[in-house]
Amino acid sequence: MLSFPAGMAKSNMKDDIDLMEGLNSPLPSRASRRIAKRSKASSRGVVAVHLPGQNRPRIILFESKLEQRVLFLLLANAAVKDIREQPEPFKYAGSDGRRKHHFFDFLVVLASGRTIAVAIKPMARVRKTRFLAELEDIRAAMTSKFADDVVLITDQDFTKAEALNAERFNAFARTRNTALQRQLAELAASIRFPMTVAELQRRLGGGAECFRAIFLAIFDGVLNADMAREIDPSTIVTLGECS
């Protein structure tokens, strides 16, 4: 997966946005083009996310299940500061000399200040088209006024379990218990590893809140685990680099 980057897909995007605006008052989507509400070919929807440095959640739209998974992977990455979906089209001259434009799926701003233009495609579609050649034309024409780099993410770059873990991390992080996370870090520094999540959960005090604390600690780097597999009570954990 990209080493920088859950709700269900909704059938009526406008109703979902209206509901979220009424209940949570999130900031509006910054997409530069309208996304079709329904599609038989893909899963489209909307989610309110809390981006770093913002006091209110923001609405982000996605056009496919693949985009939704990548979105949660990006949100779970500490290096990501901001995400904008469907930014203004990048205009460029193709290798044939013709003027073209391309809508990137996400424009990602990193904590380092670098901006990455992210294209998301199923690998099967990439192989059937000349998209890689098109992306090279775009990269050659790209300037820092739009983005510092161009990245292609496909379904081959991560596992479904990895995306599920990222989705759960984003849900658990909304109710982070700072005192419990500190208690877990102190416990981790005083015991021997490896051990299962279930054993560590028992030592921490048991219960769902302790499981969530361990889950968050894995993403925080306090603990280490194979994140390409679904994190559950049987997952083996070791002491992380940030402990």
Side-chain angles (χ1 to χ4, degrees):
M1 175 51 196
L2 185 67
S3 58
F4 318 108
M8 297 295 292
K10 305 298 185 180
S11 59
N12 192 324
M13 198 175 300
K14 182 179 184 302
D15 290 346
D16 295 324
I17 293 174
D18 290 344
L19 177 61
M20 285 194 292
E21 288 178 341
L23 294 178
N24 302 321
S25 299
L27 297 166
S29 165
R30 292 173 290 176
S32 66
R33 68 183 180 91
R34 295 181 63 84
I35 295 176
K37 298 177 184 176
R38 300 171 185 265
S39 172
K40 294 181 180 180
S42 63
S43 176
R44 305 185 178 199
V46 55
V47 64
V49 303
H50 212 140
L51 295 165
Q54 294 188 348
N55 295 324
R56 292 163 55 191
R58 178 179 291 281
I59 291 172
I60 292 186
L61 312 175
F62 56 88
E63 291 188 286
S64 68
K65 189 64 179 178
L66 180 57
E67 279 188 23
Q68 183 191 32
R69 287 171 174 155
V70 171
L71 172 60
F72 280 109
L73 285 163
L74 292 171
L75 288 167
N77 194 309
V80 173
K81 181 180 179 181
D82 191 23
I83 304 170
R84 180 183 176 190
E85 82 277 31
Q86 300 297 326
E88 288 80 7
F90 178 73
K91 299 176 181 179
Y92 67 102
S95 56
D96 57 4
R98 298 176 61 181
R99 297 294 299 173
K100 300 180 180 181
H101 70 274
H102 179 79
F103 281 95
F104 281 94
D105 296 295
F106 294 122
L107 204 59
V108 178
V109 179
L110 305 181
S112 65
R114 286 173 57 80
T115 299
I116 310 298
V118 178
I120 302 170
K121 296 283 185 187
M123 180 56 78
R125 188 175 303 174
V126 171
R127 288 171 176 161
K128 289 181 180 179
T129 64
R130 64 176 305 277
F131 185 67
L132 287 178
E134 178 184 345
L135 212 57
E136 286 304 314
D137 288 345
I138 293 171
R139 179 177 281 108
M142 184 66 68
T143 70
S144 59
K145 290 183 179 180
F146 189 92
D148 297 296
D149 200 0
V150 175
V151 169
L152 170 64
I153 304 179
T154 77
D155 50 335
Q156 301 295 304
D157 292 313
F158 59 90
T159 66
K160 290 181 180 179
E162 190 175 359
L164 177 61
N165 288 335
E167 181 178 347
R168 288 174 175 169
F169 167 79
N170 282 279
F172 294 165
R174 297 190 193 107
T175 56
R176 179 186 289 269
N177 183 328
T178 304
L180 185 59
Q181 296 300 142
R182 189 182 308 113
Q183 180 184 343
L184 172 57
E186 292 172 355
L187 174 64
S190 67
I191 58 179
R192 296 184 64 181
F193 289 94
M195 68 175 61
T196 65
V197 167
E199 173 61 16
L200 183 56
Q201 182 180 354
R202 184 188 67 77
R203 295 196 184 199
L204 187 59
E209 189 173 20
C210 291
F211 175 81
R212 291 194 293 270
I214 294 168
F215 201 105
L216 292 174
I218 293 171
F219 275 81
D220 293 344
V222 175
L223 300 171
N224 185 56
D226 182 359
M227 295 169 66
R229 296 176 178 270
E230 183 178 348
I231 300 172
D232 62 23
S234 66
T235 298
I236 300 295
V237 293
T238 57
L239 195 60
E241 294 182 358
C242 296
S243 58

